[in-house]
């Protein structure tokens, strides 16, 4: 299947993210708290826009079940994934709602979300946007599964964050895979290449997002 080929191609990227300092900090339970705050400020804004992009896909679908699922995913992004955010906020000892009021677009997060919006507005088929969006849940799922399989998280204060992404991504990834695989059956070689690049580039954006948080990336002042 086309999506299986994509996942095989990006496995080295995901493995490199696993070894980057943000994820290693989660594994060791000693992630820098200022990195957590930087991440939450950016990711709260990111998730708001992610939900809006889901809404842009609805007119591109014709099946009732697909539309219903997207509506459910909008609710999950806005209200469900906040549980993972609260785990991080509690670890950092900050009030989550107060912290995200100071949310800000940093260069890496800004570039990432615009990559998704470009595909949502540029292409009529939802698959192009989905290939830009799917790496987000997929990368988190794969990182969480790797963390759980390779490490003893007993007494790790960030264990709930890992467990959240181990168990909440399967259905979503299955839906996204089916849409893309169905489209890939009739797509041209040029279209398949765009889908591939979108998926790979978003995995790289995920790597940069974590590093942006760990390195406290900001806009340079001139």
């Amino acid at each position: 299947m086309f999506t299986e080929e994509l996942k095989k191609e990006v496995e080295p990227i995901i493995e490199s993210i696993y070894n980057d300092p943000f994820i290693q900090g989660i594994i060791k339970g000693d992630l820098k708290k200022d990195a957590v705050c930087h991440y939450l400020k950016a990711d709260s804004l990111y998730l708001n826009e992610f939900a809006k992009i889901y809404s842009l896909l609805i007119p591109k679908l014709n099946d009732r079940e697909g539309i219903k699922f997207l509506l459910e995913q909008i609710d999950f992004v806005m209200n469900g994934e906040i549980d993972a955010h609260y785990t991080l906020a509690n670890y950092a000892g900050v009030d989550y709602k107060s912290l995200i009021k100071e949310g800000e677009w940093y260069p890496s997060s800004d570039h990432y979300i615009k990559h998704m919006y470009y595909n949502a507005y540029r292409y009529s088929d939802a698959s192009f946007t989905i290939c830009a969006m799917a790496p987000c849940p997929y990368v988190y799922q794969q990182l969480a599964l790797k963390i759980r399989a390779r490490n003893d998280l007993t007494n790790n204060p960030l264990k709930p964050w890992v467990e959240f992404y181990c168990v909440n991504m399967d259905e979503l990834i299955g839906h996204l895979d089916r849409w893309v695989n169905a489209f890939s059956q009739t797509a041209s070689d040029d279209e398949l290449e765009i889908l591939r690049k979108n998926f790979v580039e978003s995995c790289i954006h995920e790597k940069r997002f974590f590093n942006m948080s760990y390195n406290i990336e900001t806009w340079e002042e001139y």
Side-chain angles (χ1 to χ4, degrees):
M1 300 295 282
F2 181 68
T3 56
E4 291 306 310
E5 295 174 9
L6 295 179
K7 292 172 183 178
K8 183 177 180 180
E9 181 173 354
V10 302
E11 173 56 26
I13 301 173
I14 298 174
E15 186 66 23
S16 72
I17 298 172
Y18 176 90
N19 289 299
D20 281 342
F22 191 97
I23 298 302
Q24 286 298 306
I26 288 177
I27 292 169
K28 297 171 185 175
D30 64 357
L31 181 59
K32 297 189 302 183
K33 295 185 178 180
D34 57 347
V36 171
C37 293
H38 208 69
Y39 170 89
L40 290 174
K41 288 179 183 180
D43 204 47
S44 61
L45 293 181
Y46 170 90
L47 290 180
N48 287 344
E49 299 304 319
F50 201 84
K52 293 177 187 177
I53 296 171
Y54 270 139
S55 72
L56 294 176
L57 297 185
I58 292 174
K60 301 177 189 288
L61 300 180
N62 294 315
D63 61 300
R64 183 180 179 87
E65 287 304 311
I67 293 170
K68 180 175 179 291
F69 182 74
L70 284 181
L71 291 172
E72 291 171 351
Q73 284 306 304
I74 291 171
D75 179 69
F76 175 76
V77 169
M78 298 300 294
N79 299 305
E81 200 158 356
I82 197 173
D83 288 346
H85 277 196
Y86 271 109
T87 293
L88 293 176
N90 290 339
Y91 164 80
V94 297
D95 180 77
Y96 177 68
K97 291 183 178 179
S98 298
L99 178 69
I100 63 172
K101 287 181 180 179
E102 302 175 15
E104 184 177 344
W105 288 113
Y106 306 114
S108 294
S109 56
D110 181 75
H111 188 183
Y112 190 7
I113 206 69
K114 287 175 179 174
H115 168 61
M116 297 182 193
Y117 269 116
Y118 171 79
N119 283 278
Y121 284 109
R122 173 64 177 83
Y123 300 104
S124 59
D125 194 277
S127 295
F128 295 96
T129 312
I130 289 171
C131 275
M133 299 179 75
C136 179
Y138 180 68
V139 167
Y140 274 73
Q141 179 204 51
Q142 292 303 301
L143 288 171
L145 292 173
K146 288 175 184 289
I147 293 169
R148 186 171 68 178
R150 299 175 183 178
N151 302 277
D152 180 3
L153 299 178
T154 303
N155 299 322
N156 186 322
L158 295 173
K159 180 180 179 180
W161 186 93
V162 177
E163 293 299 331
F164 179 90
Y165 289 109
C166 282
V167 301
N168 283 293
M169 300 291 111
D170 282 345
E171 184 181 7
L172 169 58
I173 293 169
H175 272 272
L176 300 181
D177 283 354
R178 284 190 289 274
W179 281 327
V180 172
N181 285 328
F183 177 74
S184 72
Q185 297 303 307
T186 57
S188 67
D189 288 344
D190 287 345
E191 289 172 328
L192 291 176
E193 178 60 14
I194 294 170
L195 297 179
R196 187 196 70 80
K197 286 183 65 177
N198 283 352
F199 196 89
V200 172
E201 288 176 7
S202 284
C203 288
I204 294 170
H205 280 305
E206 286 292 332
K207 179 179 175 69
R208 290 177 174 173
F209 197 105
F210 285 120
N211 286 334
M212 167 200 78
S213 303
Y214 190 83
N215 296 323
I216 320 297
E217 177 189 279
T218 59
W219 292 99
E220 293 181 11
E221 295 182 3
Y222 293 96

